[in-house]
Amino acid sequence: MNVEEEVGRLKEEIQRLGQQQPDGSYKVKFGVLFNDDRCANIFEALVGTLRAAKKRKVLTYDGELLLQGVHDNVEITLLPPPAVAAA
């Protein structure tokens, strides 16, 4: 799987596990994502995929590096698609 593919799968998983917000974004806590069995099977390096998605401005979260346990309550926000954001 290449990076773009992984980022796409990550978006799907955040939508599956997260809560949709009124602005069209989705929020999920890092611990929920990290501890999900399906995510564990899909992503070899979840933290690396999160960083790649953040760099591409697909999602946002506080900090640079998320670690299991320490950052379980950090909220990850999947940004709404540009068409929805502009509407």
Side-chain angles (χ1 to χ4, degrees):
M1 215 174 353
N2 66 32
V3 176
E4 295 303 325
E5 227 179 311
E6 282 208 11
V7 169
R9 294 289 293 274
L10 179 61
K11 287 166 63 174
E12 291 171 15
E13 293 306 310
I14 291 174
Q15 289 172 348
R16 179 176 67 87
L17 294 168
Q19 297 292 319
Q20 187 169 17
Q21 305 301 304
D23 66 357
S25 67
Y26 285 82
K27 293 187 184 236
V28 65
K29 295 201 183 293
F30 175 67
V32 171
L33 204 57
F34 192 91
N35 292 313
D36 182 71
D37 287 339
R38 190 161 140 188
C39 285
N41 290 329
I42 294 171
F43 305 106
E44 280 185 40
L46 176 62
V47 173
T49 305
L50 284 166
R51 290 185 73 188
K54 185 176 183 181
K55 187 175 178 182
R56 287 166 174 72
K57 302 195 184 320
V58 171
L59 54 80
T60 185
Y61 54 85
D62 289 337
E64 285 298 310
L65 182 67
L66 298 175
L67 302 172
Q68 181 189 15
V70 180
H71 298 113
D72 281 356
N73 289 319
V74 171
E75 210 161 59
I76 298 168
T77 304
L78 175 65
L79 302 173
V84 173

